[in-house]
């Protein structure tokens, strides 16, 4: 993926089928990219992690965008899969396809709404105690992006316990789709991405604590909060 002279690596986030089939029987797919790993000096190597495109956009500039695909994976008909092996359920089409377009910086800025949250939530669950910090949420026509951190004062967040945030819409539908991040035993930093559509008018943020070893998760509904969004 390239925007102007800047390259983004290992940025594939998700792919989903559009809800309405085309007249010829084909389907359109939305391929979402997480543009957080950037090569800003053109040497072919990632030199910035956690890059945020919106913070570096020039509103007076037109950006040339290109995305290159070298393979497409597809799910086989279950009747064609004999082994039951997960990998055997998928096929791959190799090729070389590049898509080109351009966009104005002011258009990108106008289409992305930033809502300050500045929430700090005290967590004391499953042997983990600390503070969950949620600074802001960014809503674009296709996605909802949330950055949050959790700082533990008691307990390790690498011992099978995780602290996170779900986002639901006004109908209780879980919008969660993908996330990336990292940290230490004491500090977790996450970038979460959630799917968006025009029907979303309210976001409900629900903190949770999950226990991987026991395959359990607890929603902290008493700390949940709502945000009305303009999704026009």
């Amino acid at each position: 993926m390239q925007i102007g002279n800047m390259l983004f690596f290992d940025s594939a986030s998700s792919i989903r089928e559009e809800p309405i089939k085309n007249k010829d029987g084909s389907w359109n797919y939305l391929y979402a990219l997480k543009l957080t790993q950037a090569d800003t000096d053109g040497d072919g190597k990632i030199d910035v992690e956690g890059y945020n495109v919106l913070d570096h956009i020039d509103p007076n500039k037109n950006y040339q965008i290109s995305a290159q695909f070298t393979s497409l994976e597809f799910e086989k008909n279950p009747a064609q899969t004999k082994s039951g092996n997960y990998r055997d359920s998928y096929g791959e089409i190799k090729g070389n396809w590049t898509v080109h377009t351009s966009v104005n910086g002011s258009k990108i800025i106008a289409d992305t709404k930033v809502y300050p949250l500045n929430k700090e939530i005290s967590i004391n669950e499953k042997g983990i105690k600390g503070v969950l910090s949620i600074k802001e949420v960014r809503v674009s026509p296709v996605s909802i992006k949330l950055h949050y951190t959790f700082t533990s004062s008691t307990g390790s967040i690498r011992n099978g316990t995780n602290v996170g945030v779900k986002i639901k819409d006004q109908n209780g539908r879980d919008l969660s789709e993908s996330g990336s991040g990292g940290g230490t035993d004491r500090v977790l930093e996450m970038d979460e991405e959630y799917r968006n559509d025009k029907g979303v008018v309210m976001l409900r943020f629900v903190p949770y604590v999950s226990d991987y070893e026991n395959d359990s998760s607890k929603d902290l509904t008493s700390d949940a909060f709502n945000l009305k969004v303009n999704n026009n």
Side-chain angles (χ1 to χ4, degrees):
M1 177 72 177
Q2 183 170 353
I3 300 178
N5 296 321
M6 188 175 300
L7 292 171
F8 294 88
F9 295 92
D10 300 324
S11 301
S13 174
S14 64
I15 182 169
R16 70 174 183 262
E17 188 178 277
E18 292 294 286
I20 300 176
K21 185 185 292 188
N22 297 321
K23 290 182 179 180
D24 63 0
S26 64
W27 293 92
N28 291 329
Y29 289 83
L30 175 64
Y31 196 84
L33 302 176
K34 189 178 292 295
L35 306 179
T36 56
Q37 300 182 93
D39 169 20
T40 61
D41 57 14
D43 66 354
K45 300 178 181 179
I46 297 170
D47 50 56
V48 176
E49 298 277 359
Y51 188 86
N52 197 313
V53 173
L54 190 63
D55 293 339
H56 299 85
I57 288 292
D58 182 347
N60 300 310
K61 183 176 179 180
N62 289 322
Y63 290 87
Q64 300 301 314
I65 299 175
S66 63
Q68 185 178 32
F69 299 84
T70 57
S71 66
L72 295 174
E73 191 176 76
F74 61 92
E75 186 174 4
K76 297 178 181 178
N77 186 312
Q80 296 176 302
T81 306
K82 298 180 180 180
S83 68
N85 187 291
Y86 173 81
R87 290 304 310 171
D88 289 344
S89 300
Y90 291 85
E92 184 180 35
I93 302 173
K94 291 187 177 295
N96 191 353
W97 306 274
T98 303
V99 180
H100 298 278
T101 188
S102 64
V103 65
N104 183 265
S106 62
K107 174 66 173 173
I108 297 174
I109 294 172
D111 281 349
T112 305
K113 300 177 178 65
V114 180
Y115 297 90
L117 298 174
N118 298 316
K119 293 282 188 179
E120 290 199 344
I121 300 170
S122 296
I123 305 291
N124 187 3
E125 294 284 343
K126 297 182 180 291
I128 293 291
K129 186 176 182 180
V131 176
L132 176 66
S133 299
I134 309 173
K135 180 181 178 183
E136 65 184 23
V137 64
R138 300 186 176 197
V139 181
S140 78
V142 295
S143 68
I144 299 164
K145 296 183 178 180
L146 178 70
H147 178 84
Y148 61 85
T149 60
F150 176 71
T151 303
S152 172
S153 58
T154 302
S156 171
I157 52 179
R158 285 190 171 181
N159 288 335
T161 302
N162 180 51
V163 177
V165 181
K166 298 177 183 178
I167 294 185
K168 299 177 181 290
D169 68 4
Q170 67 278 1
N171 298 316
R173 179 179 54 147
D174 193 343
L175 303 179
S176 298
E177 194 155 272
S178 65
S180 62
T184 66
D185 287 346
R186 298 295 183 185
V187 179
L188 175 69
E189 189 168 358
M190 290 294 297
D191 288 291
E192 297 277 3
E193 185 166 340
Y194 313 81
R195 62 182 179 271
N196 188 19
D197 58 52
K198 295 298 182 182
V200 176
V201 296
M202 188 196 77
L203 303 177
R204 182 166 178 78
F205 300 83
V206 185
Y208 68 86
V209 176
S210 61
D211 184 341
Y212 294 136
E213 291 185 359
N214 296 315
D215 193 24
S216 63
S217 181
K218 178 181 180 180
D219 290 348
L220 308 180
T221 54
S222 61
D223 293 308
F225 60 95
N226 300 335
L227 174 71
K228 291 184 178 180
V229 295
N230 180 6
N231 205 9
N232 297 324

